[in-house]
Amino acid sequence: DSPSYVGPCICYQLRPLSKKWRDDLDNERGNLWSLATGNLSLDYWPRGGIGSTSKDDDAALKESGSKRPTKRARNTTTTNRRSARIQPASPLEKYKHAYNLLMSRTETALLELTEHVHSSKKPLSFSIMKKILKEFSPIAINRRVRTGGTFLVEVCRSRHVQESVILKCVKLLIEEHGANPNVPSAEVGQGLASSTTLTLGRRTAASSEVTCYTSSQGKELYAIVIAAARAMPTVVKYLLSCRNIDPTLKGSSRFRLFSNPRKSVKGVDLSALDFAMKMKEEEIENGICAGDLKGLNKVISLLKKAG
């Protein structure tokens, strides 16, 4: 679901086939890598399908100063000589350079978003969300950074804000920037390393086959699981209305109780409905009043109807 996967997939599928394929992909296939690099200029497939763009998509491309990714870039030659240390030496190296720049922008943008998500002095707002997306565009909206986070999941974590603000930001990410609610974050704990840079490595020490991959390790967590556990019925209702949403996806995390913020509830591999039910049980045990359970009850009702 992310155009930035095209390059790694090409490496993974074609480079190991033969030495000729490896050499061709690394040094000769300039047009192929130009197309793959073009995909990085708008890191989601247009809503009309691959190969078509909407007015909003065109505006985003124009704003980023990039060419339409579906057009083949022309090969240009230059007589200027540059140091190999600062200029990528091959089409593949040029793609890796563009890919790493994309991921660097994505990580910086997500770090800034995370600061607002947890801040009580300057919490997340709709205008801040739009500012971050515009300032760092283009970004890989559906890719996990090294810490394991994604934009949609981080927004659903937001504290010190009203549910209506979270809903607006979720709609912005999904409807205008192509965020996929079925893409999880990776809950990375201590000692777990993750990487999102384009990497070439041998499958075995004795093998000449080289793969291109990205990785992010950790327990999965989905936006709909967070919205359910935090009793946000409007966000859950909207996510359930999204095309191809899977409400049965399971996630792992820990959430504080509304009735007793000093206590938290941990869940491992629980669906959104399972998490909401578990939160309700714990809230009742800690003496929550019936009025404060309205949100959770609405969430549970919505998820049960969704099946």
Side-chain angles (χ1 to χ4, degrees):
D1 292 320
S2 174
S4 59
Y5 278 111
V6 171
C9 285
I10 291 173
C11 282
Y12 183 80
Q13 297 292 336
L14 298 181
R15 289 184 94 255
L17 292 179
S18 67
K19 183 177 180 180
K20 182 179 185 303
W21 264 113
R22 183 188 65 196
D23 292 340
D24 280 355
L25 286 172
D26 290 357
N27 302 300
E28 304 296 334
R29 302 279 176 164
N31 286 338
L32 176 64
W33 290 115
S34 293
L35 288 172
T37 303
N39 284 331
L40 301 180
S41 64
L42 188 64
D43 192 58
Y44 62 92
W45 299 117
R47 287 187 294 274
I50 299 175
S52 64
T53 57
S54 66
K55 292 182 179 179
D56 291 338
D57 298 326
D58 288 334
L61 280 171
K62 185 177 181 181
E63 185 176 306
S64 68
S66 304
K67 295 181 180 180
R68 186 186 299 271
T70 54
K71 290 186 177 180
R72 183 178 296 274
R74 295 180 179 178
N75 285 333
T76 57
T77 57
T78 177
T79 57
N80 296 330
R81 297 184 64 185
R82 297 186 181 182
S83 171
R85 291 177 295 178
I86 61 175
Q87 182 69 13
S90 67
L92 174 60
E93 289 296 326
K94 291 178 182 178
Y95 174 81
K96 288 171 62 178
H97 179 68
Y99 178 94
N100 288 333
L101 284 177
L102 173 73
M103 297 310 301
S104 177
R105 286 195 306 272
T106 301
E107 186 165 0
T108 304
L110 194 59
L111 283 173
E112 183 167 331
L113 172 62
T114 302
E115 291 180 3
H116 293 288
V117 163
H118 299 288
S119 174
S120 59
K121 295 182 179 179
K122 198 172 182 181
L124 181 67
S125 67
F126 186 63
S127 60
I128 288 176
M129 183 79 256
K130 291 178 68 176
K131 175 180 174 294
I132 291 173
L133 293 171
K134 183 176 181 180
E135 180 179 353
F136 294 97
S137 178
I139 54 178
I141 204 73
N142 289 317
R143 299 302 299 274
R144 292 183 289 206
V145 299
R146 284 179 292 180
T147 57
T150 66
F151 286 86
L152 195 57
V153 168
E154 286 302 313
V155 164
C156 290
R157 292 181 190 270
S158 297
R159 302 173 62 189
H160 314 293
V161 295
Q162 295 182 346
E163 183 179 339
S164 59
V165 174
I166 296 177
L167 179 61
K168 286 182 179 179
C169 293
V170 167
K171 286 184 175 180
L172 175 68
L173 288 171
I174 293 177
E175 295 178 4
E176 297 188 27
H177 294 273
N180 184 346
N182 290 328
V183 175
S185 68
E187 298 292 281
V188 181
Q190 289 186 337
L192 283 177
S194 62
S195 171
T196 53
T197 54
L198 191 62
T199 307
L200 295 180
R202 298 188 186 279
R203 287 184 173 178
T204 63
S207 173
S208 62
E209 295 181 354
V210 182
T211 60
C212 171
Y213 60 89
T214 59
S215 65
S216 202
Q217 300 173 346
K219 291 288 186 178
E220 294 181 341
L221 182 62
Y222 296 86
I224 194 169
V225 172
I226 299 176
R230 298 189 65 194
M232 297 191 289
T234 59
V235 178
V236 170
K237 184 177 180 180
Y238 174 74
L239 290 174
L240 289 173
S241 71
C242 295
R243 185 177 63 178
N244 298 327
I245 182 69
D246 184 359
T248 65
L249 293 170
K250 297 181 178 181
S252 304
S253 191
R254 183 185 293 273
F255 298 96
R256 292 181 182 179
L257 292 174
F258 178 81
S259 57
N260 188 356
R262 289 177 297 179
K263 292 186 178 181
S264 61
V265 177
K266 180 182 178 181
V268 178
D269 294 331
L270 297 180
S271 67
L273 178 58
D274 292 336
F275 239 125
M277 295 289 288
K278 187 171 184 178
M279 293 296 293
K280 181 179 179 180
E281 291 174 4
E282 294 292 335
E283 293 284 13
I284 293 174
E285 286 185 10
N286 281 267
I288 194 172
C289 64
D292 292 332
L293 276 177
K294 288 182 178 179
L296 264 177
N297 288 331
K298 288 181 179 178
V299 166
I300 292 171
S301 177
L302 288 168
L303 291 169
K304 285 183 175 179
K305 288 180 180 178

